Amino acid sequence: MKKIFQLDQLQEVAKTLIEEAHGKQLCFYGEMGAGKTTLIKALVKELGAVDSGSSPTFGLVNEYHSSEGKLLAYHFDFYRLEDETEALDMGLDDYLNSNVWIFMEWPEKIKSLLPEDVVSVFLQFVDEKTRSVELNIR
C-alpha cells in the first residue's frame, strides 16, 4: 500500500493501516518531523483508546487503554537509545509477546531485535500539508 494524503485525511489513513497491516507490530520510519507520532496518535484514536497519543519523549514507552481499561497498544520511541541493550533491559521481548498493537518509532536503533514479520511504515514529506505513507512487510 502506498498513499499520498493531506493531513486532514490522517484518520482515514490510520483506519486503512489498521485494516491492511498483516500484524500488530508496526515500525515507523521517516525523518524527524515527518509525522510519525501524529500518525500513531491517529492509530491509537482509531483503536478506541481513551488516552491521546503522545511521543514517549522522556520514557521509552507509552501504553493506551480502552474506556473499559483494556490494554490496546504500546508506543515506543527509540530515538534516544544509545544501544540495543537498553531496549532489552526494559523488557522489549515481553512487550513484543503481549499480543496488543505495538507502534515503534526509530526502529533502526533496535534493528537486530525486530521480529521477522514486523510491518514497516514509511512516512515522507511531500509538502507542508501533504505526506506519503507506504506499508511494507520487513
Side-chain angles (χ1 to χ4, degrees), residues 23-40:
K24 291 183 173 182
Q25 298 177 351
L26 281 65
C27 291
F28 293 81
Y29 297 89
E31 60 188 78
M32 184 76 73
K36 296 180 296 293
T37 300
T38 304
L39 178 54
I40 291 169

Side-chain angles (χ1 to χ4, degrees), residues 40-107:
I40 291 169
K41 285 181 186 183
L43 288 163
V44 164
K45 181 179 177 185
E46 192 63 34
L47 292 172
V50 290
D51 7 29
S52 64
S54 62
S55 185
T57 306
F58 297 106
L60 289 175
V61 63
N62 285 342
E63 56 182 61
Y64 301 99
H65 298 86
S66 70
S67 58
E68 296 83 31
K70 180 183 175 198
L71 179 64
L72 298 172
Y74 291 112
H75 172 195
F76 294 89
D77 185 338
F78 296 118
Y79 181 74
R80 297 181 327 128
L81 276 189
E82 295 297 322
D83 63 52
E84 291 181 340
T85 58
E86 291 179 56
L88 290 173
D89 290 345
M90 65 170 284
L92 180 64
D93 287 338
D94 292 333
Y95 288 107
L96 293 174
N97 291 316
S98 65
N99 198 31
V100 299
W101 287 89
I102 307 279
F103 305 124
M104 295 177 272
E105 292 186 62
W106 303 101

